[in-house]
Amino acid sequence: MQLAAWLLLLIPVATFLAYPLVVLFAAALAPRRRVPVPAATPSITILIGAHNEETTIGLKLASVAQALAAWPGTAQVLVADDGSTDATAAIARGAGAAVIACPRGGKAAALNRAVPQATGEVIVMTDADPLFDARTLPALLAPFADPRVGAVAGRVDTIRTPGRTRFAAADRAFRRYESALRSAEDRLFGCVSADGGLYAIRRALVPTVVADVTDDFYVSTAAVAAGHRIAYADAARVWEHSITGARRQWRRRVRITVRGLTGLWRRRALMNPVRTGWYAVALVLHKVARRLAPLAILPLWLVSALAGGAWWIVFAAITAAALVALAGTLGARLPGPLRIVHGIVLHLAGLAAGTLLFVAGRRYAQWTPQKA
């Protein structure tokens, strides 16, 4: 029984703690990558996918305009309007963006219609709600001076907003964890993938996006599939609100997990170390294992209750975390540290549920943005 407990404990510890620590340690010893001086400034297209985003698209485009003031090259701003029934398209046109009006078909279909209209050598992909920082574009596009770089992942941070604090602390903690990991991976073998809040890719590498995947993963990893590297630009930042409400957080995590695993299956050739080297190992540990590891927690809870000895500590810790999450979901007002526990448990439970749904054959073919 104790052997089973150790094996079950090893799975999440190796995934969420050991792998990041090894990568961070190795990156600290690795020389910093040198970014070549750009020979020329590339033209860019900023492509925003939107569906019923009238409350956010104006602020988004204002932040884009501010960021473009620091960009010396030519730029095109496109909004791929996925069948919006509100004023999204009108607001975007009023802000000076070109709008590609698409029938409602999901984000993938909207992107596939918009990309052929892009004129930039590099396409900056971003969602409708994260706000650009003034330094975003120069930092995001600088790594393209290296011809080996096919895509660049930016950093997404959570805005501190009074009244939206239920999951904001957990979101900020996760963003810091993810950003540190991506920065370390970049120094070793390249970033594994990008976040849809902000990334850029050479236009020639953009694939036709299939409907049932997370588009940010599928599009950004097209660079690796073509033999290039995904760089990470920590100074290229966007800011977004945390999603409020346990139900919306849960639904979002389950949907992303199902679509993410579908994308991983479609990109399974990249998990061959003969083809992609250490990137393949990182892809498995960072993306696949992260979704599978939470499935070990419930068996670990049961086994630790029977294993005796010091295993009661593990049993008590899992029980306490679950009770905190249950209390928070039922509406209890939790202090700061317990809100982080609630967010972590909800995240892990969503990963586990999404993985089980993926195995059962569930797929999500249409994209519906989750509002903050």
Side-chain angles (χ1 to χ4, degrees):
M1 191 66 71
Q2 292 207 5
L3 176 60
W6 277 113
L7 291 174
L8 289 168
L9 181 62
L10 178 63
I11 294 170
V13 168
T15 301
F16 295 111
L17 186 61
Y19 168 70
L21 287 176
V22 169
V23 170
L24 288 169
F25 179 75
L29 300 178
R32 187 174 296 275
R33 289 185 184 272
R34 293 183 179 179
V35 178
V37 177
T41 301
S43 59
I44 63 172
T45 293
I46 299 174
L47 177 54
I48 304 166
H51 173 70
N52 289 346
E53 297 282 3
E54 65 179 5
T55 61
T56 61
I57 195 67
L59 288 174
K60 171 70 175 196
L61 290 171
S63 76
V64 168
Q66 182 183 23
L68 284 172
W71 178 245
T74 59
Q76 173 194 37
V77 180
L78 288 181
V79 173
D81 181 26
D82 180 28
S84 294
T85 56
D86 62 4
T88 296
I91 294 171
R93 290 191 182 97
V99 176
I100 310 298
C102 309
R104 178 67 168 145
K107 187 177 182 181
L111 292 179
N112 290 335
R113 282 175 172 262
V115 167
Q117 307 301 317
T119 58
E121 300 166 79
V122 173
I123 299 182
V124 177
M125 301 280 196
T126 181
D127 294 331
D129 48 339
L131 302 178
F132 276 34
D133 190 281
R135 299 182 301 160
T136 295
L137 291 175
L140 183 68
L141 295 159
F144 285 108
D146 185 344
R148 297 170 296 180
V149 171
V152 181
R155 175 167 177 161
V156 181
D157 281 323
T158 301
I159 299 172
R160 293 178 181 269
T161 307
R164 294 180 182 267
T165 59
R166 191 174 184 187
F167 296 106
D171 285 348
R172 283 194 293 271
F174 174 76
R175 294 294 190 190
R176 287 193 293 268
Y177 169 88
E178 190 71 3
S179 295
L181 185 53
R182 284 180 170 168
S183 181
E185 289 172 340
D186 177 43
R187 293 185 69 171
L188 297 173
F189 36 72
C191 196
V192 167
S193 66
D195 187 305
L198 178 67
Y199 68 101
I201 183 170
R202 297 184 191 274
R203 185 183 60 182
L205 301 179
V206 178
T208 298
V209 187
V210 292
D212 57 358
V213 301
T214 44
D215 57 275
D216 49 4
F217 172 82
Y218 190 78
V219 174
S220 62
T221 54
V224 182
H228 294 270
R229 183 173 67 85
I230 303 173
Y232 175 69
D234 190 70
R237 300 191 179 192
V238 291
W239 302 83
E240 67 177 10
H241 290 290
S242 174
I243 293 175
T244 57
R247 183 179 179 184
R248 280 185 287 182
Q249 283 273 0
W250 165 267
R251 291 176 62 185
R252 178 175 181 267
R253 180 49 48 197
V254 170
R255 175 179 56 85
I256 288 175
T257 300
V258 173
R259 292 170 68 90
L261 284 168
T262 306
L264 283 162
W265 175 251
R266 293 185 181 277
R267 291 291 192 206
R268 60 192 181 276
L270 301 183
M271 300 179 203
N272 179 1
V274 175
R275 177 180 177 183
T276 57
W278 284 106
Y279 173 89
V281 178
L283 183 59
V284 171
L285 292 174
H286 189 153
K287 292 295 184 179
V288 180
R290 179 179 291 186
R291 289 162 170 84
L292 298 179
L295 295 175
I297 294 176
L298 180 58
L300 175 61
W301 178 72
L302 294 170
V303 170
S304 63
L306 303 173
W311 286 101
W312 72 267
I313 299 174
V314 175
F315 174 79
I318 297 174
T319 302
L323 290 174
V324 167
L326 177 61
T329 301
L330 293 176
R333 295 180 64 86
L334 301 173
L338 295 187
R339 285 200 297 267
I340 295 178
V341 173
H342 183 194
I344 291 172
V345 172
L346 199 64
H347 182 90
L348 294 175
L351 288 173
T355 300
L356 292 174
L357 286 173
F358 170 78
V359 173
R362 182 72 166 94
R363 299 293 182 269
Y364 292 89
Q366 195 171 75
W367 160 73
T368 301
Q370 295 291 313
K371 310 301 182 186

